[in-house]
Each structure stands twice: as C-alpha cells, then as structure tokens.
Amino acid sequence: LILLRPLSSLFAKENLNRMSKRQLNLYDRLINEPSNDWDIYYWATEAKPTPPEFENDVMVMLREFAKNKKREQRLWQPDLEYLFEPPR
C-alpha cells in the first residue's frame, strides 16, 4: 500500500484529465475491485501477470507509468488540488 499510493495517485494526476469515460470506468474498477492493493502494484510492476479481467489499455498505461522512464522521484502522493484543475 505504501508503494502503491504514490504510484496510483501520481498516475491519476498525470492521466485522469485525458482519459475517456470508458477508461475512467476501467480505472475506477481497477482501484476499487481487487481486494488487495499489493496485487495492483505487482501487476503494474509486472512482478505478477495481470488477470484477464483487468488486462486493458488502462493497465497498459499504468504499467508504462510504473517503468518511470524519466527517472522521476516518486516518493510522495501529490496534493489533491489536481482533482480541481481544469482539463488540459
């Protein structure tokens, strides 16, 4: 949970405003249905295979985000102000 929260909240900050309604629904399902947050972390980091019911374009986006190709420091969750920012 400690590692997943910064990952998922930073992913949300970067991507929610540009997701389609379908993608938002998939993301909502992903963060609310699995009973174990560690599963989502393991799927995002490819430590475990993603179950077919969660394998979709949002999971692909999350896995790509988890690779952190820009080598950004991701130690803290962002403030929630981004939820109130206008879409870009």
Side-chain angles (χ1 to χ4, degrees), residues 38-53:
W38 279 107
D39 287 337
I40 301 169
Y41 178 78
Y42 293 142
W43 303 336
T45 59
E46 301 182 86
K48 291 184 178 180
T50 304
E53 62 270 23

Side-chain angles (χ1 to χ4, degrees), residues 4-43:
L4 177 62
R5 291 207 185 218
L7 177 66
S8 62
S9 59
L10 289 167
F11 172 81
K13 181 178 181 178
E14 188 170 304
N15 292 283
L16 287 184
N17 285 333
R18 59 178 168 209
M19 285 183 173
S20 68
K21 186 174 182 173
R22 182 188 68 77
Q23 288 173 320
L24 289 171
N25 287 331
L26 290 171
Y27 182 70
D28 182 66
R29 183 173 168 240
L30 174 66
I31 63 172
N32 287 304
E33 282 189 21
S35 60
N36 186 344
D37 286 344
W38 279 107
D39 287 337
I40 301 169
Y41 178 78
Y42 293 142
W43 303 336

